[in-house]
Amino acid sequence: PHSRSHGRGPMTTLNINDLDKKSRAEVQTFIEEQQANQQVTAILSKITELCWDKCVPKPGKDLTAAESQCIANCSERFLDTSMFVAARIQGKMKPKK
């Protein structure tokens, strides 16, 4: 019995320090974009969970007008609060002159 290669060599690990400066910057940008996307997804999941639980006590075939309005208000408050907290944290992290 012999093994087939399928034209692929052994897996190698990429060391970011082996890349040139431009490639390292591109990899760093990609990683930051992926992290930002994950954060947005996590926030949307949290908003959905919190506002659904708060506004839709008994799910039916359709949302009522009151449930829709509650979800909209809840989502806006969550985003406003999150942005406020992020701005406060950023403000505290800035070096004092």
Side-chain angles (χ1 to χ4, degrees):
H2 72 293
S3 62
R4 292 194 209 167
S5 167
H6 298 293
R8 294 186 194 141
M11 293 272 299
T12 58
T13 304
L14 175 66
N15 184 342
I16 195 162
N17 294 321
D18 292 339
L19 300 174
D20 60 52
K21 189 174 184 178
K22 181 180 181 219
S23 295
R24 278 195 305 267
E26 289 173 354
V27 169
Q28 184 63 35
T29 298
F30 174 78
I31 290 169
E32 289 170 359
E33 288 171 353
Q34 293 304 308
Q35 289 172 334
N37 287 339
Q38 288 176 338
Q39 288 175 336
V40 168
T41 300
I43 288 170
L44 290 175
S45 293
K46 190 67 174 174
I47 291 172
T48 301
E49 180 184 344
L50 288 172
C51 295
W52 181 266
D53 289 347
K54 177 184 186 312
C55 298
V56 187
K58 293 181 181 177
K61 182 180 172 195
D62 295 312
L63 291 176
T64 66
E67 290 168 339
S68 290
Q69 188 62 50
C70 178
I71 289 171
N73 291 339
C74 175
S75 300
E76 286 177 30
R77 281 195 310 274
F78 186 92
L79 289 173
D80 288 344
T81 302
S82 296
M83 290 172 67
F84 173 78
V85 170
R88 289 290 303 256
I89 290 171
Q90 246 182 350
K92 289 184 183 231
M93 291 175 63
K94 288 183 181 175
K96 295 179 181 174
K97 294 183 179 181

